[in-house]
Amino acid sequence: MDPSIIFDYIPKQLLPSLGIPLVELLPDLCLGWWTPPSLDLNKYNRLKYLRVLLLIVAWYPIFELLFPIIEDSSIYSAMVIFAVASIIARPLLMEKQIKRVTSIGLWNAVLPKEKREALWIVVTNSKPSDINKFDELAARYVNSPTKISGVVLCIVCSQLYEKLPDMEDKIKLLGGLTASIVGGIGMGGMRHSNFLVDIVFRLVFG
């Protein structure tokens, strides 16, 4: 297949945005939104600034393309602010979550992969109780950036929906939004259960 056919479906200025699903396809690079299946949390934490840079590079052309389309400047500004907030907050909150997990003595013991995954799931799904400590308060809201990015995606789709003249294109847009929402929910509920399922949900959400 001729690779140039991709230009028939995706504007050239959006090609940097393809980096998002690409890094999710190779999750153990630790450059994606989600923690890697290998649970190499130290590597994931070390690369947080590079992840922020990649996300900014990916999101910038999207908002550049949307600027002349969205007539309401307040909606456009809100989308940009929410997107930037989610990109910056994600690594900061994840760092607190990672410190919370790695401070557990059992985590630092020699564990089989299945037991390490189970420990990660148990700890990250339990809400910190001492909200007077900033680190525990931050870990409590570690999923907030993902929810914010989901809100941004919904706003983008709602604005594009109003501009699309063809109903078939509108249905495709709603289908893509639905797939992304399902992917995000799937990542929350099926992470680490199966490597292939993990990759599929990463790509759909990305």
Side-chain angles (χ1 to χ4, degrees):
M1 184 180 71
D2 185 0
S4 64
I5 196 173
I6 194 173
F7 297 124
D8 295 334
Y9 299 97
I10 301 176
K12 291 183 179 179
Q13 60 265 46
L14 289 183
L15 290 181
S17 302
L18 295 179
I20 296 177
L22 179 61
V23 295
E24 297 295 357
L25 184 61
L26 303 169
D28 283 332
L29 290 178
C30 298
L31 296 176
W33 184 267
W34 310 95
T35 50
S38 65
L39 286 177
D40 188 349
L41 301 182
N42 291 327
K43 180 180 178 181
Y44 181 82
N45 198 38
R46 286 198 310 270
L47 297 175
K48 58 180 178 290
Y49 298 116
L50 181 55
R51 286 198 305 277
V52 169
L53 177 61
L54 290 175
L55 284 169
I56 291 174
V57 170
W59 273 100
Y60 180 81
I62 295 175
F63 285 113
E64 185 180 33
L65 194 66
L66 290 173
F67 182 73
I69 298 175
I70 300 176
E71 298 173 354
D72 191 330
S73 60
S74 61
I75 293 178
Y76 181 83
S77 299
M79 286 195 306
V80 173
I81 291 171
F82 287 161
V84 171
S86 66
I87 291 171
I88 294 176
R90 174 67 176 178
L92 296 177
L93 296 179
M94 277 302 302
E95 182 177 15
K96 302 302 181 183
Q97 181 78 289
I98 289 172
K99 286 182 179 179
R100 179 171 172 248
V101 174
T102 55
S103 65
I104 298 174
L106 185 59
W107 179 267
N108 299 306
V110 179
L111 292 174
K113 188 174 185 293
E114 295 78 14
K115 291 187 177 180
R116 190 171 295 277
E117 289 173 354
L119 179 60
W120 167 261
I121 292 171
V122 169
V123 175
T124 55
N125 283 304
S126 62
K127 299 293 185 182
S129 56
D130 190 355
I131 60 174
N132 292 318
K133 293 182 179 180
F134 175 76
D135 285 4
E136 293 204 10
L137 179 63
R140 188 179 184 88
Y141 296 102
V142 70
N143 292 321
S144 296
T146 304
K147 296 176 182 177
I148 293 173
S149 64
V151 170
V152 172
L153 183 60
C154 289
I155 296 175
V156 169
C157 289
S158 68
Q159 293 298 306
L160 292 178
Y161 185 87
E162 295 178 1
K163 301 295 182 181
L164 291 174
D166 187 65
M167 181 55 67
E168 184 179 349
D169 291 334
K170 289 184 177 183
I171 293 175
K172 290 178 180 179
L173 177 66
L174 293 177
L177 175 61
T178 302
S180 295
I181 293 173
V182 170
I185 295 173
M187 283 300 295
M190 298 292 291
R191 300 257 354 261
H192 305 297
S193 62
N194 180 281
F195 182 77
L196 180 59
V197 173
D198 191 12
I199 295 294
V200 169
F201 282 131
R202 284 172 182 271
L203 290 175
V204 172
F205 183 79

